[in-house]
Amino acid sequence: MFSRVATGLAALLAVFFYRSGRVAWNHILTAPSLPDAYYVGGNWTSHFSVIKDPSSNDINFCEDISFWDHHDAHGALTDRLVLLGCDPNRKAWNTVMGPLRNSNPRGHLFLYVPGTDAVHRVTLKGYPTIHDFHPLGVEIYPSRDGSLSNLFIVNHARAQTTIEQFVLDPARLTEARYVRTLRSPYFVSPNAIALTSPTSFYVSNDHLLTRRLPNPIGHVAPLVETLVGLPSSWVAHVSIHESNPKPTDGGAMTDADDYTLTHTFAALGIAFANGVALSPSRAHLAIASTSLGLVHFYTLDTNTNTSITAPSLSFSHSVPVPFLPDNIAYDDDGALIVTGHPHFPSLIGIAANETGTTAPSWAVSLTPTSDTARLVSDENARAPLSAYTFVPHATTHEVETLFQSDGSVFGSSSTTLRDARTGAVYVAGLYEQGMLVCRP
């Protein structure tokens, strides 16, 4: 009997080290030797600036940021703004990492205008006063010729995690008009959103076992699920169907509106599904697997897409990254920008408010090798700590470091956006103050 148990445990350990050995050694058991800061576009001391709100100091702990693109009537891009979802109360209320002490102080939205460096606080017009607001994943549908844009935000509220729908108006940059709160029994742990239309999106669910479970299960089970890399999370596709849709310039809709949700499981069996992004060609979906340090790529079969069902996904391949990936976003040229956490214990220390702790940052681009002909390796070698110190060369993508820091300059990076037109890079930190802007 003992030998059978020992054999079973040995087999489990072998599977764990085969799947997670690289991540466990590089990002949990040891801390990477990162520089104060590095930026691919030049000396960081002259290319960095941090955007803050001096009047309130509320641009803090911004987990996700998103471009809000404005197009003219012909589809040409005329303006690009950056929306920030911030929650200065994250150290008191975090349903992913904990704790769950106090959910009362609301989070905030800010809009950054790159052309003028102006920062606008965005008010939640019509949002119910009894609702909590703790933003995580944020995604906006582009505006065309001055039209309204749908905005969806994952909200880690007190009672349950929901997805809030708002409308943004290019003529009223300081307002987000409340539309409705989306709820579903399948919204176990929503994290990130990738829009497929103005009223449909992919959403990742990062854990099956969450901090909301009764203690001690809620304290232990999510951490075990993360560290062991259990394939228990998923990505779903959600569509909103309105029975009596209102004009786009009509009044705000409420929870009582006549609508239904279609929920489809799109990708199952993922270890800590985190960031999710749809390629500009809409042919590929990328999903970050935080626990395994991988980005999974799927191919969309648009022939299976109907008004009711989502396109079916076919797994294509995975690319390892030199950290625990958080949020991901495609740039205009089709490169995937991946941001994450090089040292998990440091991030836990920040969340626990340990004195003197900093959490390092790292962001890379994944460019298909057919586009780069493997010429980016020399550029990646300029980084003080090369990505290839931790991961092998992928056959499908070139990995290039865009930004890295030991946390002393900018820490706990969770999202990076790159504007391929201007070369500007924007970085948000889960437990950092302000938003980092890197200009070439």
Side-chain angles (χ1 to χ4, degrees):
M1 180 67 179
F2 175 78
S3 62
R4 291 180 180 177
V5 173
T7 301
L9 289 175
L12 288 175
L13 285 172
V15 171
F16 170 76
F17 283 109
Y18 174 77
R19 294 175 68 245
S20 306
R22 174 182 65 85
V23 168
W25 178 255
N26 292 327
H27 309 301
I28 298 176
L29 299 177
T30 59
S33 181
L34 288 161
D36 292 346
Y38 164 79
Y39 168 51
V40 69
N43 190 314
W44 69 268
T45 59
S46 57
H47 290 268
F48 281 8
S49 61
V50 178
I51 304 302
K52 296 185 177 182
D53 178 25
S55 62
S56 65
N57 198 34
D58 283 335
I59 302 182
N60 293 331
F61 304 174
C62 307
E63 195 270 349
D64 200 9
I65 54 179
S66 179
F67 283 140
W68 181 19
D69 286 349
H70 296 178
H71 298 270
D72 63 19
H74 304 288
L77 183 64
T78 58
D79 202 4
R80 171 168 283 167
L81 312 179
V82 183
L83 186 74
L84 299 79
C86 309
D87 192 357
N89 187 51
R90 199 176 304 280
K91 287 188 178 181
W93 186 262
N94 185 332
T95 64
V96 179
M97 299 176 62
L100 301 179
R101 286 197 305 265
N102 182 11
S103 66
N104 286 327
R106 279 184 174 182
H108 311 280
L109 297 181
F110 289 90
L111 194 66
Y112 172 66
V113 184
T116 63
D117 274 346
V119 179
H120 304 283
R121 180 186 288 266
V122 179
T123 60
L124 308 182
K125 185 178 180 182
Y127 191 66
T129 57
I130 61 172
H131 282 202
D132 302 311
F133 187 65
H134 297 286
L136 206 70
V138 175
E139 190 81 354
I140 316 165
Y141 202 78
S143 171
R144 186 182 179 98
D145 197 25
S147 65
L148 305 181
S149 292
N150 275 346
L151 162 66
F152 293 90
I153 301 175
V154 173
N155 177 19
H156 282 200
R158 182 194 321 252
Q160 65 180 128
T161 299
T162 59
I163 297 177
E164 310 293 345
Q165 183 182 351
F166 296 89
V167 166
L168 294 177
D169 186 346
R172 296 181 175 88
L173 297 182
T174 61
E175 291 181 2
R177 179 164 54 84
Y178 174 68
V179 176
R180 56 166 67 95
T181 296
L182 304 178
R183 297 181 176 87
S184 170
Y186 299 112
F187 292 170
V188 177
S189 54
N191 189 304
I193 291 174
L195 290 174
T196 55
S197 79
T199 55
S200 62
F201 51 85
Y202 287 103
V203 57
S204 61
N205 281 260
D206 54 53
H207 283 78
L208 178 63
L209 307 173
T210 74
R211 296 280 302 196
R212 296 183 187 275
L213 293 171
N215 290 329
I217 298 175
H219 271 87
V220 177
L223 185 61
V224 171
E225 185 178 350
T226 297
L227 295 177
V228 175
L230 296 179
S232 49
S233 68
W234 65 92
V235 169
H237 188 271
V238 176
S239 297
I240 304 170
H241 308 281
E242 298 175 5
S243 300
N244 298 294
K246 297 183 180 181
T248 56
D249 58 351
M253 296 177 250
T254 66
D255 288 347
D257 291 330
D258 191 6
Y259 75 95
T260 59
L261 289 183
T262 299
H263 181 283
T264 305
F265 290 104
L268 298 170
I270 302 170
F272 198 153
N274 201 325
V276 58
L278 186 65
S279 67
S281 67
R282 308 178 75 81
H284 305 284
L285 186 76
I287 302 171
S289 173
T290 300
S291 292
L292 299 185
L294 298 172
V295 177
H296 301 309
F297 289 88
Y298 296 78
T299 301
L300 277 70
D301 183 0
T302 55
N303 293 325
T304 62
N305 187 25
T306 70
S307 60
I308 302 298
T309 61
S312 63
L313 297 179
S314 300
F315 176 77
S316 176
H317 59 278
S318 298
V319 175
V321 291
F323 45 77
L324 307 180
D326 198 323
N327 287 321
I328 57 180
Y330 279 97
D331 71 5
D332 305 275
D333 295 332
L336 185 70
I337 312 304
V338 186
T339 311
H341 311 287
H343 190 231
F344 185 63
S346 295
L347 189 67
I348 293 293
I350 289 285
N353 213 22
E354 293 180 2
T355 303
T357 302
T358 58
S361 297
W362 203 332
V364 300
S365 64
L366 303 185
T367 306
T369 51
S370 59
D371 296 340
T372 62
R374 305 191 70 84
L375 294 177
V376 181
S377 296
D378 292 338
E379 296 180 16
N380 187 70
R382 298 193 314 230
L385 186 58
S386 171
Y388 296 120
T389 303
F390 301 103
V391 297
H393 283 269
T395 59
T396 56
H397 290 75
E398 196 70 35
V399 182
E400 180 185 12
T401 294
L402 302 180
F403 163 77
Q404 58 185 197
S405 172
D406 62 4
S408 61
V409 173
F410 197 87
S412 64
S413 59
S414 52
T415 307
T416 300
L417 304 177
R418 180 168 66 180
D419 188 339
R421 305 169 312 149
T422 65
V425 172
Y426 306 90
V427 186
L430 183 66
Y431 291 106
E432 186 57 270
Q433 298 184 357
M435 177 182 69
L436 180 67
V437 179
C438 313
R439 294 183 176 89

